[in-house]
Amino acid sequence: MAEKKDPRTGSRSPTCSRAQRRGRALIVLHIRPPKIMGALERSMVQHPINLLSLAASVRAAGHQPVVWDFEVEPFSETIVRARAAALQPGLVGVTGMTANIKVGAKILGWIKDAVPGVFAVVGGPHGSALPEETLREFPEFDAVVVGEGELTWTELAGRLTRGESLAGTFGLAWRDRDRVVVEPRRELIRDLDVLPLPARDLIDLNLYKGASSPGLDATLHRSTEIFSSRGCPQDCIFCAAKVTFGRAIRFRSAAHVLAEVDECMTKFGYRHFTMEDDTFTYRPTRLEELCRGLRERGVSWDCDTRVNIVTREMLQMMKDSGCRKVAFGVESGSPRILKEIRKDIDVEQIKRAFAAAHEVGLITTAFFIIGGHPSETAEDLEASVRLMREIDPDLMAAAIAVPFPGTELEQIMSEKGLIASRQWEKYTHIHSVPCWRTENFGPEELVSLQNRIFRRFFFRPHFVLKTFKKALSWHGARYYGRSLWQIIRYLFIEGRN
């Protein structure tokens, strides 16, 4: 890696000698590292839409993007080194969730050994929350893209290609020899319609075998994901999304979203779409436009949203336009905990939303959290179990709350001395024994509570009978039989790190 001195600041920032030497477009490599996955996750790996959006942006700027997805592609040190040596990228970025930040650093270390002079970057929520700490902890990273990535990533590629200093690149943290420079955060993109559509042509779509949303049979739903907005206006203490996208919600226009639907249908043959927005129904007028367009195209879809921004009429409109499933973040059945985590919903709203979704015939998913506030008690958790049974969702997920860097939950638990260590690989919702505790439960107790809640929900007679009725067709028997086996493997066979 060469260095160039900035005449204005005196700082020495790295330049991409490979790009300058070639005098042509930069090969920009985007990587999703592997993560801990049980049988359930392996059956429904989603497309890396975040990387595909970054790749589309640098391609529009004239560079040559490449995407490696090690959640579906063969992975080993030998494979990474050989592929990197053959590709010879000038810039490489890895998406860094907290749980896989260590393996992301290993991957970039291998690539830097194989390709001297390559510039290595990490993006995502972990580095966005801890930019300086991440660079000091992991010498494999040359820089961190902080927050929303497209504009910063494209500017970085251009600066490296032209041999310019990195000083003044908003949204970037980078090394200036022994010191770390954290530039001001870049302003969020106000008009998301200016972004090119995700570059799905850069991945082998045949590697993604399952439906991307639980409860939908992969053999019947060839599906992909769409982000039609960014940000969430809520302020839940456990959520790390605002670290990257802030609390201001920004919408793509209905026309822009439907253009992506059209491309996915005509170029890639997709007929089902998982809308990955945190609050898909937040703007009713836009929702009406989208429902009208989706109905005209004859596709199916599903979404996530909040219980306090849906009505029965809205859910009926969604059902009529092809919506198959809706997922709600419930988090807790305890009014006290809902208030403590600042969920800004109440139990009656939860009950009404699920009742309405059942009435119109939508598949429902309820997301619950164990330890969403460190003061949660056994009585609070029992209230959650009672609510699960009353709202009777078709699917339920109970995650152990993770004190992700940058969240208020992490701040509260740190101040109370509840986090024993920062073993980043343990920062998962369902596959690890936590390296933290709550005020009332130790790490092993949290795991035991999680498993017990799963068993009490999925193995109760009512749920078994309801699921058996759905399995009375050939497709139903295959799907629900496979799903049952995956649940059994998770609860009784697969271990935890």
Side-chain angles (χ1 to χ4, degrees):
M1 182 66 64
E3 287 186 340
K4 183 174 182 178
K5 186 172 181 179
D6 189 318
R8 297 168 299 163
T9 65
S11 65
R12 293 185 177 272
S13 62
T15 63
C16 182
S17 56
R18 174 166 292 95
Q20 294 170 305
R21 187 169 60 247
R22 288 176 173 173
R24 58 182 175 84
L26 192 66
I27 297 176
V28 184
L29 174 59
H30 308 74
I31 298 176
R32 178 159 70 171
K35 69 176 183 180
I36 300 171
M37 289 195 293
L40 192 59
E41 290 95 336
R42 278 191 290 271
S43 71
M44 52 184 183
V45 177
Q46 296 187 334
H47 300 158
I49 300 297
N50 59 331
L51 292 185
L52 302 182
S53 182
L54 293 171
S57 294
V58 294
R59 181 160 63 185
H63 303 289
Q64 299 177 35
V66 178
V67 178
W68 295 351
D69 186 357
F70 290 122
E71 285 195 13
V72 295
E73 297 181 62
F75 174 76
S76 70
E77 180 179 349
T78 301
I79 289 172
V80 171
R81 287 179 179 272
R83 291 182 69 179
L87 181 66
Q88 290 290 302
L91 172 62
V92 56
V94 63
T95 185
M97 309 298 284
T98 297
N100 62 15
I101 191 73
K102 288 184 178 179
V103 69
K106 282 185 179 180
I107 291 170
L108 293 198
W110 299 335
I111 292 175
K112 291 174 81 171
D113 284 344
V115 187
V118 68
F119 193 75
V121 182
V122 63
H126 186 87
S128 293
L130 303 171
E132 182 171 356
E133 294 91 330
T134 298
L135 288 177
R136 296 197 184 283
E137 182 177 358
F138 300 105
E140 298 88 348
F141 301 141
D142 296 314
V144 176
V145 170
V146 179
E148 195 168 53
E150 286 87 355
L151 299 184
T152 302
W153 188 236
T154 303
E155 180 178 342
L156 173 62
R159 284 180 180 246
L160 291 175
T161 303
R162 297 186 297 271
E164 296 175 359
S165 167
L166 302 185
T169 308
F170 285 6
L172 194 72
W174 53 281
R175 299 181 191 280
D176 180 13
R177 294 189 173 181
D178 293 332
R179 74 185 184 104
V180 171
V181 178
V182 181
E183 303 285 356
R185 285 188 75 120
R186 186 178 293 270
E187 221 178 279
L188 295 172
I189 301 168
R190 294 184 181 181
D191 181 8
L192 296 177
D193 286 6
V194 303
L195 294 174
L197 300 180
R200 289 179 174 85
D201 59 293
L202 296 180
I203 56 174
D204 183 352
L205 297 169
N206 293 319
L207 296 176
Y208 303 82
K209 301 295 185 183
S212 60
S213 185
L216 299 174
D217 186 351
T219 64
L220 302 177
H221 299 87
R222 178 169 164 78
S223 64
T224 187
E225 300 78 44
I226 289 179
F227 288 85
S228 81
S229 68
R230 291 180 179 179
C232 177
Q234 304 305 134
D235 196 25
C236 303
I237 68 169
F238 54 82
C239 184
K242 55 180 174 270
V243 175
T244 303
F245 292 128
R247 288 184 60 192
I249 185 167
R250 294 158 293 142
F251 298 94
R252 295 167 60 190
S253 68
H256 197 252
V257 175
L258 292 171
E260 184 173 354
V261 171
D262 290 338
E263 179 182 85
C264 288
M265 292 173 66
T266 57
K267 289 183 67 173
F268 307 113
Y270 286 107
R271 302 291 301 179
H272 182 89
F273 300 89
T274 293
M275 302 299 180
E276 283 290 345
D277 308 37
D278 293 317
T279 52
F280 184 67
T281 65
Y282 194 83
R283 182 178 284 178
T285 54
R286 190 190 74 130
L287 178 65
E288 290 178 13
E289 289 184 71
L290 286 170
C291 284
R292 184 164 53 250
L294 293 167
R295 184 174 61 249
E296 290 170 354
R297 286 159 177 78
V299 297
S300 61
W301 57 282
D302 67 279
C303 70
D304 292 10
T305 193
R306 291 173 54 87
V307 298
N308 61 336
I309 55 173
V310 293
T311 63
R312 190 190 186 287
E313 294 72 27
M314 180 186 291
L315 292 169
Q316 185 65 64
M317 175 183 66
M318 292 161 58
K319 169 74 173 177
D320 293 342
S321 70
C323 184
R324 295 289 312 283
K325 190 189 87 166
V326 61
F328 296 105
V330 176
E331 322 312 355
S332 177
S334 164
R336 183 184 75 85
I337 292 298
L338 289 173
K339 184 176 180 181
E340 291 282 7
I341 65 176
R342 292 206 298 274
K343 184 66 182 177
D344 198 25
I345 60 174
D346 60 47
V347 172
E348 289 306 312
Q349 289 172 326
I350 296 169
K351 292 177 182 178
R352 284 196 297 270
F354 276 87
H358 292 322
E359 287 174 12
V360 305
L362 289 170
I363 298 170
T364 55
T365 296
F367 294 117
F368 284 83
I369 291 180
I370 300 165
H373 192 272
S375 68
E376 188 171 53
T377 65
E379 290 75 19
D380 293 319
L381 287 172
E382 195 58 35
S384 292
V385 172
R386 288 195 300 269
L387 183 61
M388 288 176 198
R389 292 177 171 176
E390 184 172 351
I391 62 177
D392 194 26
D394 297 283
L395 297 158
M396 185 278 298
I400 294 175
V402 178
F404 287 116
T407 63
E408 187 173 337
L409 178 62
E410 192 268 346
Q411 180 182 344
I412 293 170
M413 294 180 69
S414 293
E415 291 173 353
K416 292 179 177 290
L418 298 172
I419 302 175
S421 63
R422 283 184 157 186
Q423 295 173 261
W424 299 132
E425 68 276 9
K426 288 182 171 288
Y427 278 57
T428 72
H429 293 291
I430 62 174
H431 287 298
S432 302
V433 178
C435 54
W436 60 87
R437 57 169 295 120
T438 66
E439 293 174 13
N440 297 300
F441 306 111
E444 295 285 354
E445 289 176 298
L446 289 169
V447 172
S448 178
L449 286 166
Q450 184 182 41
N451 287 340
R452 196 179 311 153
I453 288 172
F454 276 130
R455 290 195 299 268
R456 290 176 67 183
F457 180 82
F458 287 114
F459 297 145
R460 61 198 169 102
H462 172 75
F463 183 83
V464 172
L465 179 61
K466 184 171 69 170
T467 304
F468 176 75
K469 292 178 180 178
K470 297 176 184 176
L472 292 178
S473 67
W474 169 242
H475 282 294
R478 286 183 59 196
Y479 176 75
Y480 288 105
R482 186 169 58 247
S483 298
L484 175 61
W485 172 236
Q486 290 161 352
I487 292 170
I488 290 172
R489 283 187 60 179
Y490 171 70
L491 291 176
F492 303 109
I493 300 174
E494 294 173 357
R496 299 201 182 209
N497 71 319

